[in-house]
Amino acid sequence: MSLQHTIGFIGTGIMGLHMARRLAQAGHRVTAWNRTQSKAEPLEEFDVHIAANVADAAKGADIVIVMVSDGPASDDVILGEGGILEQMGEGTILLVMSSIPMETAMSQGKASQVCGVRYLDAPVSGGEPGARDGKMTIMAGGDTEAFKELQPVFAVMGRSTHVGPAGTGSLAKLANQVIVGNTIQTVAEALLLVESGGADPGAVIEALKGGFADSPILQNHGKRMIEGNFKPGGRCQIQLKDTLTAEELGKSFGVVMPMTGQARVTYQNLVENGQGNLDHNAAYLDVARRSGKEL
Amino acid sequence: MSLQHTIGFIGTGIMGLHMARRLAQAGHRVTAWNRTQSKAEPLEEFDVHIAANVADAAKGADIVIVMVSDGPASDDVILGEGGILEQMGEGTILLVMSSIPMETAMSQGKASQVCGVRYLDAPVSGGEPGARDGKMTIMAGGDTEAFKELQPVFAVMGRSTHVGPAGTGSLAKLANQVIVGNTIQTVAEALLLVESGGADPGAVIEALKGGFADSPILQNHGKRMIEGNFKPGGRCQIQLKDTLTAEELGKSFGVVMPMTGQARVTYQNLVENGQGNLDHNAAYLDVARRSGKEL
């Protein structure tokens, strides 16, 4: 039997709703707040208390989880007047699971420290299915002791790994996005090569299964490329944003990222061409277009 | 009980030796030839007959398998005087499992057709362990009926997939190499990014396990990058050769490959820097060097 926590949960959107529900079902006392309150109300049947404002959700909590839309929205609820940090007691844990910029996480970490609050940035991947089934990948940066204490809480939501100090959770999530975007474009180039040379690209995907060239991207995004299925999933415009953010960070650290730069060109082309809402596997369409192929 | 074939096996190097042994152990009548005959002799204890010349190995065979070092070496044994095609009867199968250029496979396919011989180019991946354990990935292009008939023979050596006409086996192998080389560089960029930002790169590899960014390259080559282990494995000079070949083919088909071009720059840098014999995961060293990092 694991410890029952008092959890304030801020932001019950598509993923947050599932996460808050799972925490309540695991026996924690959860108080939730959402900007549009009606979206939080389905949680009442799981004995989640719905707070009228952020401060009421944070007050008296051992753990406050933030799952709002982006960095500025997280700063608003955490640092603003009547915000989370004002309410949290010494030694409690602030856990930001939104995808936010690394610098935002670093400064939230510092502000938390000033207030005696232990901070972790812990963005996730896995989408709605992952949130629903407790199968998310959680990349956590920040207070190591707090990370250990949170193990039973994380376990309700997915698989968690501690990757470094505050901000590195966001950095790991960005590395995830970069690898995904670059691999999609690599697969696009390879499939267009074999197709143009007269091979059956579906058979090639099958042939490479289980070898060093194999990946979830090849089997999933690659198959959808040759089926002509570019429904999102992860959109090109988000992939472009993440890729630009990674390049900027890389630049600030002095890291050259030539491969990532090529993926950025592709996603830029797609967004400029009005295809920003297609799945990022549409890299295939851009490489085909640049190769003068009719699709 | 599968049909017993009379197999001529040409080229018993590191991988060929295992392949010929497995075929003999599976009950086929195997006659082997190798340029340096002593290297074939360990096969005698498995009832493999050692031929004095190529012609003797090919004569009377239903299937001749070629596993020599490269395209020109395969042309020598197949097309030369006293070569394989001169000896093979109508309807027999010539199976070239060496990694050879696509054009070489296409012209061997045409020459075979003229002689009434059914041809497949079927390069493999999986290295010595794959050959030893019968776990190779076999990418086959050419005669579809011959491919079907060879299923029991392929099964002794690994998993086979038919990908298109003669030459496309080689093309699929090249796609394999391109995906591997590009993914290695992508992983190098991502790991240098997270390291430079203060994250533990080993923890990030662990965190990404099982998600869309995961791959055998991340888990294997990526881990060895951060351990500083650049022992081959696949060498940079081979990766450069394969990448250049893919780019040339892409050009001839009109396919732009900007990502692949960036990987080529990296492997070129490494070869020019005298590091051509390191494992291709040394892409990490080149990206680090270009980023001004001391390693």
Side-chain angles (χ1 to χ4, degrees):
Chain A
M1 183 66 194
S2 72
L3 193 67
Q4 191 191 36
H5 288 289
T6 301
I7 300 177
F9 199 104
I10 309 298
T12 57
I14 293 171
M15 294 178 74
L17 198 68
H18 288 297
M19 292 156 70
R21 169 185 54 77
R22 293 189 63 89
L23 290 165
Q25 287 177 312
H28 299 293
R29 276 186 305 270
V30 180
T31 301
W33 176 86
N34 195 61
R35 202 175 39 185
T36 308
Q37 190 174 313
S38 60
K39 286 196 187 162
E41 283 164 1
L43 288 168
E44 287 182 308
E45 66 169 298
F46 303 99
D47 293 325
V48 172
H49 178 73
I50 310 297
N53 53 55
V54 169
D56 283 349
K59 202 176 296 172
D62 336 319
I63 304 165
V64 175
I65 299 178
V66 174
M67 191 64 187
V68 296
S69 57
D70 57 16
S74 71
D75 268 349
D76 278 356
V77 295
I78 291 169
L79 306 170
E81 211 169 318
I84 293 167
L85 274 184
E86 273 185 5
Q87 306 300 325
M88 292 183 76
E90 183 90 24
T92 59
I93 300 173
L94 173 55
L95 177 62
V96 178
M97 302 188 78
S98 307
S99 288
I100 62 176
M102 185 181 186
E103 312 89 86
T104 303
M106 290 170 78
S107 67
Q108 288 175 355
K110 279 180 200 145
S112 301
Q113 202 168 21
V114 170
C115 300
V117 169
R118 297 181 293 163
Y119 178 87
L120 286 155
D121 71 311
V124 299
S125 68
E128 189 186 358
R132 184 190 60 218
D133 304 335
K135 305 244 182 224
M136 302 191 304
T137 293
I138 303 164
M139 295 152 267
D143 193 295
T144 310
E145 285 308 310
F147 176 79
K148 284 184 194 149
E149 286 172 40
L150 285 176
Q151 280 309 301
V153 172
F154 282 136
V156 171
M157 299 186 278
R159 199 174 67 85
S160 61
T161 312
H162 188 263
V163 296
T168 57
S170 304
L171 186 61
K173 173 85 193 276
L174 217 47
N176 181 83
Q177 307 302 88
V178 159
I179 294 176
V180 165
N182 290 10
T183 307
I184 287 175
Q185 168 138 2
T186 287
V187 165
E189 291 181 14
L191 291 181
L192 280 159
L193 176 72
V194 299
E195 246 180 310
S196 303
D200 171 350
V204 172
I205 291 177
E206 193 52 36
L208 302 188
K209 207 174 197 165
F212 272 122
D214 199 15
S215 64
I217 298 293
L218 180 67
Q219 295 300 328
N220 180 311
H221 298 71
K223 261 184 203 147
R224 288 189 284 117
M225 285 175 199
I226 59 178
E227 291 164 10
N229 175 357
F230 303 103
K231 270 186 297 199
R235 290 170 203 273
C236 290
Q237 62 197 22
I238 305 296
Q239 185 67 51
L240 175 60
K241 182 177 77 84
D242 290 342
T243 306
L244 284 165
T245 305
E247 284 190 283
E248 272 165 39
L249 267 185
K251 213 168 168 184
S252 76
F253 303 151
V255 176
V256 304
M257 304 180 76
M259 210 73 149
T260 308
Q262 289 302 325
R264 185 241 310 144
V265 169
T266 293
Y267 295 114
Q268 224 152 20
N269 289 342
L270 287 158
V271 168
E272 282 167 14
N273 199 45
Q275 296 173 299
N277 277 319
L278 295 184
D279 188 84
H280 41 182
N281 77 339
Y284 179 86
L285 293 177
D286 184 61
V287 178
R289 183 164 45 215
R290 286 198 264 166
S291 304
K293 308 270 166 206
E294 294 288 337
L295 287 176
Chain B
M1 184 65 194
S2 72
L3 194 69
Q4 191 191 38
H5 287 290
T6 301
I7 300 177
F9 200 103
I10 309 299
T12 57
I14 294 171
M15 295 178 74
L17 198 69
H18 289 296
M19 292 155 71
R21 169 185 54 77
R22 293 188 64 88
L23 290 165
Q25 287 176 312
H28 299 293
R29 277 184 304 270
V30 180
T31 302
W33 175 85
N34 195 60
R35 202 174 41 185
T36 309
Q37 190 174 313
S38 60
K39 286 194 187 164
E41 283 164 3
L43 289 168
E44 287 182 310
E45 66 169 298
F46 302 100
D47 294 326
V48 171
H49 178 71
I50 310 298
N53 53 55
V54 169
D56 283 350
K59 204 174 295 170
D62 337 318
I63 304 165
V64 175
I65 298 177
V66 174
M67 191 64 188
V68 296
S69 57
D70 58 15
S74 71
D75 269 349
D76 278 355
V77 295
I78 292 169
L79 306 170
E81 213 170 317
I84 293 166
L85 273 184
E86 273 184 4
Q87 307 300 325
M88 291 183 76
E90 183 88 23
T92 58
I93 300 173
L94 173 55
L95 177 63
V96 178
M97 301 187 78
S98 307
S99 288
I100 63 175
M102 185 182 186
E103 312 88 88
T104 303
M106 289 170 79
S107 65
Q108 288 175 355
K110 278 180 200 146
S112 301
Q113 202 168 21
V114 170
C115 302
V117 168
R118 295 182 293 163
Y119 178 88
L120 285 155
D121 71 310
V124 299
S125 69
E128 190 186 358
R132 183 190 61 218
D133 303 335
K135 305 245 183 224
M136 302 192 303
T137 293
I138 304 164
M139 295 151 266
D143 192 293
T144 311
E145 285 308 311
F147 175 79
K148 283 185 194 151
E149 285 172 40
L150 286 176
Q151 281 309 299
V153 172
F154 282 136
V156 171
M157 300 186 276
R159 198 173 68 85
S160 61
T161 311
H162 188 264
V163 296
T168 57
S170 305
L171 187 60
K173 173 84 192 277
L174 217 48
N176 181 82
Q177 307 302 88
V178 159
I179 294 175
V180 166
N182 290 10
T183 307
I184 287 174
Q185 168 139 0
T186 287
V187 165
E189 291 182 13
L191 291 180
L192 280 159
L193 176 72
V194 298
E195 246 181 310
S196 304
D200 171 350
V204 172
I205 290 177
E206 193 52 36
L208 302 188
K209 207 174 198 165
F212 272 121
D214 199 15
S215 64
I217 298 292
L218 181 67
Q219 295 301 328
N220 180 311
H221 298 71
K223 262 185 202 146
R224 289 189 284 117
M225 285 175 199
I226 59 180
E227 290 163 10
N229 175 358
F230 303 102
K231 269 188 295 199
R235 291 170 203 273
C236 290
Q237 61 198 24
I238 304 295
Q239 185 67 52
L240 175 59
K241 181 177 77 84
D242 290 342
T243 306
L244 283 166
T245 305
E247 284 191 284
E248 273 165 39
L249 267 186
K251 213 169 167 183
S252 75
F253 303 151
V255 177
V256 304
M257 304 180 76
M259 210 74 148
T260 308
Q262 289 303 327
R264 185 241 310 144
V265 169
T266 293
Y267 295 113
Q268 223 151 22
N269 289 342
L270 288 157
V271 168
E272 281 166 14
N273 200 44
Q275 295 173 299
N277 276 320
L278 295 184
D279 188 84
H280 41 181
N281 78 339
Y284 179 86
L285 294 177
D286 183 61
V287 178
R289 182 164 46 215
R290 287 198 262 166
S291 304
K293 307 270 167 205
E294 293 288 337
L295 288 177

